[in-house]
Amino acid sequence: MARIFISCRIFPEEVERLERAGHEVVMFPGDLIGREELLRNVADVDVLIVPLSTRVDAQVLASAPGLKVIANLGVGVDNIDLEEARARGIVVLNTPGVLSETVADLAFALMLAVARRVVELDKRLRAEGFPGWSFMPPHLGRDVWGATLGIVGLGRIGAAVARRARCFSMEVLYYSRTRKPDLEDELGCRYVPLDGLLRASDFVVLCVPLTPETHHLIGERELSLMKGTAYLVNVARGPVVDEEALVRALKGGGIAGAALDVFEREPEVHPELPRLANVVLTPHIGSATVDTRRRMASLAVDGVLAVLRGERPDNLVNPDVWPGKL
Ligand code: NAP
Ligand code: GLV
């Protein structure tokens, strides 16, 4: 029997699966746990299931001496101190794959919304009414179909974005840590170094994880390489972009616009961003559909149950630690 703490509400049937397997489960009944409450609750647990808004750093790990498994409700694991988890022999799980299509849908929604000025014009219509159809209105947008798309990070989500782009007759360029010849053949996309991708793309979509190498991957210099008519879409992690530099580029006309699902200091949003008309903002909703959140919860619980049975799950983030303290 393991003691499991879940630091946010998840679907009750998933909690029941853990309990039916004989484990003792405590679930924080809200969505955003406070730091003190978290530290109090981890003191005697074996397993921690967390949303990516729960920061599992060295202090949390030191407060949980019996911790053996962390399951992150998300694919990005930058909220977890992986080095410290490794040093303590703690197995870390995430939720890869089950959310890729849903996040790719959002990337397209954001691209279309910013290029066709959907949010800006919706707001204007509500405030001022519909002034009548005109041929040369001040609100002409840009085409997404047929444009050049640059994907930064051709992993699961990046590939799902590339698949959608084919249906929009887009030319797809990508930059990634490793080249993907199979995907180049399958999706008809072309590898280019990052600078070349930034210079050539009408839309740049960020799909990389946040790591020390990708922190501020897009800064002042990179933004200056982009076309003045181009848009930046970030569905990865906020700190991949230098937000101050982005605000300057947006205000100074360095790029045409940006659509952001993630922010450098979540849940803080840079105060200038909501004031800009050429920006679309969503509150980190990439995977936020009912079905996908069910799949994520289910995958996390599958992984925890497997680990507790002594089986190695597929969604292991740190295989070098396996089997850890189990
Ligand atoms: P993935 O399959 O691991 O893909 C990430 C890709 O980025 C891989 O192709 C990887 O290259 C590449 N990459 C890693 N470091 C790089 C670097 N320094 N330079 C260039 N490319 C690099 O992950 P995924 O499932 O697609 O998820 C990607 C990220 O999206 C997550 O880590 C998370 O931060 C974010 N995300 C956001 C939302 C949201 O709600 N907005 C939802 C889900 C995920 P290799 O192939 O060589 O490893
Ligand atoms: C969401 O941001 C995730 O990493 O799953």
Side-chain angles (χ1 to χ4, degrees):
M1 193 270 291
R3 279 157 304 187
I4 302 174
F5 180 63
I6 311 175
S7 71
C8 66
R9 289 185 307 128
I10 66 167
F11 301 98
E13 58 272 26
E14 297 301 337
V15 178
E16 282 158 23
R17 285 176 65 210
L18 293 166
E19 287 172 340
R20 272 201 309 274
H23 305 300
E24 185 189 308
V25 184
V26 174
M27 181 173 74
F28 176 67
D31 294 319
L32 293 169
I33 194 168
R35 186 78 178 168
E36 291 311 315
E37 180 111 29
L38 176 68
L39 292 173
R40 241 193 338 273
N41 275 285
V42 297
D44 59 353
V45 298
D46 304 292
V47 179
L48 190 52
I49 301 180
V50 294
L52 51 86
S53 50
T54 295
R55 195 158 46 87
V56 185
D57 56 17
Q59 187 192 17
V60 173
L61 296 176
S63 307
L67 190 60
K68 299 171 185 67
V69 188
I70 303 167
N72 202 39
L73 295 160
V75 65
V77 286
D78 46 281
N79 56 313
I80 298 171
D81 185 334
L82 292 177
E83 274 310 304
E84 189 63 24
R86 185 170 183 276
R88 291 173 177 274
I90 297 169
V91 164
V92 178
L93 312 175
N94 67 347
T95 59
V98 293
L99 44 66
S100 309
E101 301 297 334
T102 300
V103 180
D105 277 356
L106 184 76
F108 258 82
L110 290 175
M111 248 194 295
L112 290 161
V114 72
R116 300 301 306 274
R117 305 171 69 160
V118 173
V119 177
E120 173 195 349
L121 296 175
D122 172 278
K123 271 193 209 141
R124 193 178 309 159
L125 186 145
R126 287 167 198 262
E128 300 166 17
F130 180 14
W133 193 90
S134 62
F135 185 70
M136 293 282 281
H139 52 247
L140 293 178
R142 297 267 172 188
D143 281 326
V144 172
W145 79 273
T148 299
L149 170 65
I151 298 173
V152 180
L154 196 68
R156 288 168 292 244
I157 295 170
V161 171
R163 273 187 202 101
R164 282 159 179 72
R166 293 191 73 171
C167 306
F168 279 71
S169 307
M170 299 178 93
E171 180 182 1
V172 183
L173 310 177
Y174 79 96
Y175 165 72
S176 210
R177 187 169 52 183
T178 42
R179 274 190 76 157
K180 318 274 170 182
D182 292 354
L183 286 176
E184 289 175 25
D185 291 344
E186 182 198 331
L187 304 172
C189 51
R190 189 156 56 87
Y191 175 86
V192 282
L194 182 59
D195 286 5
L197 177 147
L198 295 169
R199 285 195 187 95
S201 299
D202 300 305
F203 296 88
V204 174
V205 179
L206 305 178
C207 301
V208 284
L210 174 61
T211 64
E213 292 75 41
T214 62
H215 182 264
H216 284 193
L217 183 69
I218 304 297
E220 183 110 43
R221 190 189 75 83
E222 289 72 22
L223 290 162
S224 75
L225 298 178
M226 289 176 65
K227 298 181 192 177
T229 51
Y231 299 89
L232 180 71
V233 177
N234 190 0
V235 291
R237 282 289 184 272
V240 173
V241 177
D242 177 347
E243 226 164 55
E244 285 296 342
L246 176 63
V247 166
R248 283 196 296 277
L250 289 164
K251 286 173 82 171
I255 62 172
L260 309 172
D261 185 45
V262 287
F263 302 93
E264 196 164 352
R265 279 171 281 277
E266 291 182 18
E268 248 180 69
V269 174
H270 191 296
E272 292 282 337
L273 288 171
R275 300 194 189 118
L276 300 174
N278 55 345
V279 172
V280 173
L281 307 170
T282 50
H284 202 150
I285 58 167
S287 66
T289 66
V290 175
D291 288 340
T292 291
R293 287 288 158 88
R294 281 192 191 285
R295 281 190 286 266
M296 290 164 68
S298 184
L299 179 59
V301 168
D302 284 350
V304 167
L305 289 173
V307 171
L308 293 174
R309 285 192 304 265
E311 297 162 15
R312 184 188 150 123
D314 292 336
N315 52 330
L316 199 54
V317 172
N318 52 359
D320 53 323
V321 168
W322 180 260
K325 292 198 236 165
L326 289 149

